[in-house]
Amino acid sequence: MKQIFKLALFFSAVAGICSPVLADITGKAVDGSGNPVVNAFVTYSGLGNRFVWTYSDSQGNFTLPGAGPTSVDPSLYAKPLLSGINAQVRGGLLCFNADGKNDVSVDIYTLRGGHLDKMSYGMLGAGRYSVHPFSKRLARAVYVVKVRNGAELGSQKMLCVSAAGAGRLEKQSDENQVSLPAFVGKRSADVEVVRVGKTGYFPKLVPVQSFTQAIGNVGIAKMDVAARVDSVFNSLSLTQKIYQTVMCDVRSIHPKDIVTTTQIGTYLGAGGVQPPDGTSPAKWANWLDSFHVAQMQSATKVPLMIAYDAVHGLNVCVGGTVSPHNIAMGATWDPELVKKAYRMEAIEVRGTGANWAFSPCIAVPRHLHWGRVYEGFGESPEIAQQMAKAAVLGFQGFDLSHPFSIAACVKHFAADGGTDGGLNGGDCTAPDAALRAIHLPGYARAVEADPATVMPSFSSWRGTPMHFNKPLLTDYLKTQLGFDGFAVGDYYGDYWGTLTTVDAITAGLDVPMHVDNPTGSETTTLGLYNASANGQARVIDAVKRVLRTKIKMGLFDRNNSADPNVTALIGCQMHRDIARECVRKSLVLLKNTNAVLPIAKTKKVHLVGDFADNIGLQCGGWTITWQGDTSGTGPTTTGTTIKQGFAKLTQGTVTSSVDATGIPSNADVVIVCVGEKPYAEGNGDNGSLTLTSNTIFKGINYTQLISDCKAKGKPLVCLLFSGRPMIVTNEIQQCDAFVACWLPGTEGDGIAEVLYGDYDFRGKLTHTWPTSYGQEPINTGNMGDPVGSGGTPLFAYGYGLNLAGQQLPAGFYSTIP
Ligand code: BGC
């Protein structure tokens, strides 16, 4: 009993005890001949260590950090096996519930089942207890812990991070002597295993016993990808081969038909796709798994690629973590953060059974009229270059075969953001030099990270629709840049006037995106194959590109179904914390007068406007449905609204109302939340960008709303939720502070923590902010691009203040080499 204390007694001491002794796993990646492998992707493959990864250096050496900028306390992932006992490790403490009716005992085992310790406590009063059984154990090691409370028995693997645990692992000789199959069975392999892999190599798994080990040389054999492609190719009939280039929507075919008749190569879930029987992560996983399973039961047995538009986190599945849209990610100026967020997103996508996303969009939007401005990171090639590579590396690492990697789709190639007048799907008439200076550099950087797929744009360059643009699609992208994945078409983008699917494939399209009639494009492609030697060669190239991508993804070497452990991580706190970090680092402070920010937590804060308390509005388009929640009737998915974020942190009061009439007379600060109604694609094309053009719900005009709030005479902060800079030249005059919040996604509490001053602002504009619509297009360094009426913008590209009122330093906070 001496060792045991009520949790409350320990509360204040926990922080000290938690400070981990940080240690690393070191090793060297080598190939079959013992030569160093550069850029091998080294990860823990266990649930406890999702976010710890590193790459081998030029000598093949790697140091996998026990903790670091890309890691999160793995104990957050510990999941109790028995809810009654609810055992968890927090720092060096083991916490559990006792029911007050039975004796309690704790046993500690090594991973292989070696019994290390037993502690018996007799009967404890009902409550939650903490013990410190790891004090003599290895720091940052994983143990199997078994807690028995009478008949109830909970056991699980737990990571002990113990400052006091720097000693030797005791009783090591006991290992293997006690056999505990229940604990070391299926789950042990997926917890603390270091995985070393690289695209085009066979990965190696190395079990580890602690986070302090040198694991020496890890050999990963190079794969003969070309030979494997040929071997699979030769095993298929002509129809089966051509089917590899066919795509249709998951709603257009039933898995039972896959087994018997239609074994196409790829599937998509177009905007608004949902499983037929529900929207939860588990429903998604079951549904998409039924496609994977059916395909492997079919004659072809070539694994499937399934994609949807995960353009800002897991935005399709209710309960997923929705990150800010790319315009906000750009405003962080932090490619390392973007990489981390995209990796988190990849894990959530894998958890639904998909293995591919139509993302990242690396458009360089040059005209704010365009309804897809928010899908790009910013108006400059420098932003596109950094973020494109970061996003692809986040999704794929340098190891596309990693079970948590997903295939990226860099889109929309090219100059989708450069169309005249910012017209969605329009024509970009910028001269060749401007095309090369502005719209292509992002692709060159993205290709360095070996993206699995690229999607041509609906738009045209100088009159040639991109799906039919051989010089850019084939000669530049595939030949000059060396892109060896496949080009997947945009939604029927190969249907264009008199131009046909045959013309598109001839120009370099590999997989037309057709959502129904899976056999339609098969017939067309077969026609091309039979028409000429060139046609045949082109079709063979397209088939082989698909097969090569699938081989590089490791799909032939593993089960493609969703891992239930990964599905269980969808929307977990660790992922939400990363999305929230993106939110707070993306906020751009445009104005702060009368010291209105930061707001003291003791103040009475009143929020006004629909955006203050609505998940759907703060997420914008491409969230659960294609257009986002245009009805604004309530929560579309799980998350924290802006108001809830303030309520979490306040030591005063937080109230809200949809209009200014609800502002209480004793409010200390008014925060008016206005923005753009959710939209996607051409529906967002907007030829005025005023707040009045985006009147939303109950007839409230946002310009008027700001004036109404101002009339109350209280300190006024305006939060703008929009997919792009808006024309707010007059509105901003009325506000003491003005913050561009973009479309933050589900983690609205990232806003309160900056407005309350827990963190300073760091976001900066990646778009020049015009004073009037007539100034559009107005962009930094116009590089031969068209310009609008000119003049001084309201805020320059790169503008952003901190709480002290200073302009933030220019440039990136991190860079991707
Ligand atoms: C969009 C693409 C998207 C595709 C599939 C198209 O309308 O332009 O960005 O990936 O639909 O949903």
Side-chain angles (χ1 to χ4, degrees):
M1 283 300 284
K2 225 167 107 202
Q3 288 173 284
I4 194 154
F5 300 85
K6 279 276 190 183
L7 187 61
L9 294 181
F10 256 108
F11 196 74
S12 57
V14 165
I17 294 168
C18 276
S19 331
V21 173
L22 302 182
D24 301 320
I25 289 185
T26 56
K28 179 170 179 162
V30 295
D31 65 14
S33 322
N35 299 317
V37 178
V38 185
N39 272 337
F41 191 46
V42 187
T43 58
Y44 296 113
S45 67
L47 290 177
N49 298 287
R50 276 301 130 92
F51 289 102
V52 184
W53 75 85
T54 190
Y55 292 107
S56 57
D57 65 16
S58 57
Q59 303 305 309
N61 294 318
F62 60 81
T63 300
L64 191 57
T70 55
S71 75
V72 185
D73 180 357
S75 66
L76 287 174
Y77 271 143
K79 280 199 263 356
L81 297 186
L82 281 186
S83 56
I85 289 176
N86 192 8
Q88 287 172 316
V89 173
R90 290 274 174 256
L93 295 172
L94 171 68
C95 315
F96 58 85
N97 293 334
D99 64 4
K101 296 181 201 139
N102 293 288
D103 290 349
V104 175
S105 65
V106 174
D107 286 87
I108 311 228
Y109 301 86
T110 66
L111 287 174
R112 294 189 200 153
H115 190 225
L116 297 173
D117 262 325
K118 181 174 191 73
M119 284 143 281
S120 301
Y121 299 109
M123 197 195 295
L124 303 169
R128 188 149 180 83
Y129 292 85
S130 286
V131 295
H132 196 172
F134 301 106
S135 56
K136 297 185 203 134
R137 309 265 158 248
L138 214 57
R140 297 195 67 80
V142 178
Y143 300 96
V144 176
V145 176
K146 183 169 79 165
V147 184
R148 182 186 291 279
N149 186 193
E152 200 173 13
L153 176 70
S155 71
Q156 72 184 86
K157 295 182 190 71
M158 291 179 172
L159 174 75
C160 160
V161 181
S162 170
R168 287 180 308 112
L169 182 67
E170 288 189 339
K171 299 186 187 173
Q172 209 151 11
S173 57
D174 281 357
E175 269 189 65
N176 299 321
Q177 288 178 10
V178 180
S179 162
L180 287 170
F183 307 133
V184 261
K186 205 164 138 263
R187 288 172 60 91
S188 67
D190 64 12
V191 175
E192 48 300 303
V193 172
V194 170
R195 184 186 187 280
V196 181
K198 184 172 177 175
T199 308
Y201 288 76
F202 292 101
K204 186 65 109 1
L205 299 177
V206 186
V208 292
Q209 291 276 310
S210 82
F211 292 93
T212 56
Q213 254 176 280
I215 57 175
N217 283 2
V218 181
I220 53 172
K222 200 162 175 31
M223 206 185 265
D224 188 341
V225 176
R228 284 188 88 181
V229 171
D230 287 343
S231 144
V232 178
F233 182 85
N234 293 333
S235 72
L236 302 176
S237 70
L238 180 57
T239 307
Q240 288 172 334
K241 284 173 184 149
I242 287 176
Y243 263 158
Q244 285 304 306
T245 67
V246 175
M247 165 177 263
C248 87
D249 195 289
V250 273
R251 289 162 290 193
S252 301
I253 188 164
H254 194 280
K256 69 176 164 29
D257 299 323
I258 294 179
V259 181
T260 49
T261 53
T262 317
Q263 290 121 34
I264 63 171
T266 60
Y267 284 87
L268 85 148
V273 63
Q274 293 294 339
D277 59 345
T279 57
S280 67
K283 297 281 184 202
W284 269 92
N286 283 341
W287 187 38
L288 297 187
D289 283 356
S290 65
F291 287 81
H292 292 302
V293 168
Q295 180 81 352
M296 297 320 279
Q297 288 169 351
S298 72
T300 313
K301 291 193 176 40
V302 177
L304 288 180
M305 287 173 69
I306 306 181
Y308 47 72
D309 290 285
V311 295
H312 63 140
L314 187 52
N315 53 342
V316 299
C317 165
V318 172
T321 306
V322 179
S323 309
H325 270 295
N326 278 352
I327 190 169
M329 301 300 274
T332 67
W333 290 76
D334 193 345
E336 281 295 341
L337 178 61
V338 169
K339 191 165 82 176
K340 181 163 76 169
Y342 269 73
R343 175 130 298 271
M344 175 273 284
E345 294 168 19
I347 291 168
E348 295 213 354
V349 170
R350 271 308 290 138
T352 66
N355 49 19
W356 181 22
F358 297 135
S359 174
C361 174
I362 64 159
V364 186
R366 302 288 282 184
H367 200 305
L368 296 176
H369 173 275
W370 192 33
R372 308 191 78 162
V373 168
Y374 66 80
E375 294 187 56
F377 293 99
E379 73 184 24
S380 71
E382 64 167 351
I383 288 282
Q385 285 171 294
Q386 277 295 312
M387 300 310 188
K389 188 164 181 184
V392 176
L393 283 179
F395 273 171
Q396 305 189 167
F398 281 114
D399 185 6
L400 195 45
S401 73
H402 194 284
F404 311 138
S405 290
I406 59 169
C409 177
V410 189
K411 69 185 191 184
H412 308 83
F413 182 78
D416 51 346
T419 61
D420 298 358
L423 205 63
N424 188 46
D427 190 22
C428 170
T429 59
D432 188 74
L435 174 82
R436 288 181 192 281
I438 299 166
H439 299 287
L440 297 183
Y443 288 91
R445 289 311 309 282
V447 170
E448 287 173 15
D450 199 12
T453 64
V454 168
M455 183 186 290
S457 178
F458 277 140
S459 58
S460 309
W461 182 62
R462 295 192 154 259
T464 306
M466 284 306 305
H467 281 67
F468 305 89
N469 196 323
K470 184 165 181 295
L472 288 173
L473 208 47
T474 296
D475 303 345
Y476 174 75
L477 181 68
K478 291 181 172 175
T479 310
Q480 190 179 326
L481 293 186
F483 166 64
D484 78 348
F486 64 88
V488 56
D490 203 343
Y491 204 90
Y492 289 111
D494 53 314
Y495 284 18
W496 191 284
T498 54
L499 294 169
T500 65
T501 305
V502 164
D503 297 318
I505 296 174
T506 305
L509 183 71
D510 299 301
V511 175
M513 184 188 286
H514 291 185
V515 301
D516 48 19
N517 186 15
T519 55
S521 66
E522 182 255 336
T523 316
T524 316
T525 310
L526 187 60
L528 176 62
Y529 181 93
N530 288 327
S532 67
N534 281 349
Q536 188 175 115
R538 179 70 270 276
V539 172
I540 290 174
D541 176 52
V543 175
K544 288 193 172 181
R545 281 175 178 272
V546 174
L547 294 177
R548 179 163 59 232
T549 303
K550 291 181 173 181
I551 287 166
K552 285 166 72 176
M553 287 173 76
L555 302 187
F556 288 87
D557 306 319
R558 62 176 155 93
N559 180 354
N560 277 305
S561 296
D563 174 345
N565 288 323
V566 179
T567 308
L569 297 176
I570 289 175
C572 70
Q573 192 55 49
M574 188 186 297
H575 294 183
R576 293 187 185 280
D577 288 346
I578 291 172
R580 197 177 79 240
E581 181 183 355
C582 296
V583 174
R584 76 172 173 257
K585 290 183 171 173
S586 68
L587 305 176
V588 182
L589 180 59
L590 297 173
K591 178 181 181 184
N592 186 20
T593 52
N594 306 319
V596 64
L597 296 179
I599 302 168
K601 287 184 182 162
T602 48
K603 292 266 167 79
K604 296 184 186 65
V605 168
H606 185 80
L607 295 124
V608 180
D610 293 278
F611 280 83
D613 203 15
N614 190 305
I615 292 287
L617 295 184
Q618 72 195 45
C619 286
W622 295 109
T623 313
I624 309 301
T625 61
W626 177 41
Q627 293 294 318
D629 178 24
T630 53
S631 72
T633 49
T636 50
T637 186
T638 321
T640 306
T641 66
I642 315 307
K643 180 184 176 186
Q644 287 164 345
F646 278 91
K648 275 188 193 173
L649 293 178
T650 185
Q651 293 156 15
T653 59
V654 176
T655 50
S656 67
S657 56
V658 284
D659 61 28
T661 60
I663 298 174
S665 55
N666 65 351
D668 297 319
V669 184
V670 174
I671 302 178
V672 58
C673 302
V674 300
E676 288 190 290
K677 182 176 175 171
Y679 54 80
E681 301 194 48
N683 289 343
D685 281 9
N686 184 323
S688 75
L689 295 179
T690 59
L691 285 182
T692 52
S693 67
N694 282 276
T695 297
I696 190 167
F697 316 133
K698 306 175 186 95
I700 296 170
N701 166 334
Y702 284 133
T703 300
Q704 186 61 45
L705 184 64
I706 293 171
S707 302
D708 292 349
C709 291
K710 170 73 178 167
K712 299 288 177 181
K714 294 182 181 293
L716 181 61
V717 179
C718 180
L719 304 183
L720 178 66
F721 296 88
S722 63
R724 52 197 149 183
M726 315 267 317
I727 306 305
V728 291
T729 312
N730 295 328
E731 287 85 346
I732 208 167
Q733 302 298 331
Q734 311 217 34
C735 306
D736 299 293
F738 200 98
V739 183
C741 300
W742 317 115
L743 299 167
T746 48
E747 305 319 300
D749 37 356
I751 292 176
E753 56 194 15
V754 182
L755 266 69
Y756 276 139
D758 288 355
Y759 297 88
D760 205 345
F761 285 87
R762 338 196 292 172
K764 296 176 286 181
L765 297 179
T766 60
H767 283 273
T768 310
W769 196 300
T771 55
S772 68
Y773 187 82
Q775 283 185 323
E776 279 298 297
I778 180 169
N779 291 300
T780 181
N782 95 335
M783 302 177 201
D785 220 17
V787 283
S789 65
T792 311
L794 191 60
F795 301 107
Y797 171 83
Y799 186 83
L801 303 173
N802 63 14
L803 282 168
Q806 296 150 333
Q807 164 65 40
L808 290 159
F812 291 95
Y813 291 109
S814 62
T815 47
I816 303 287

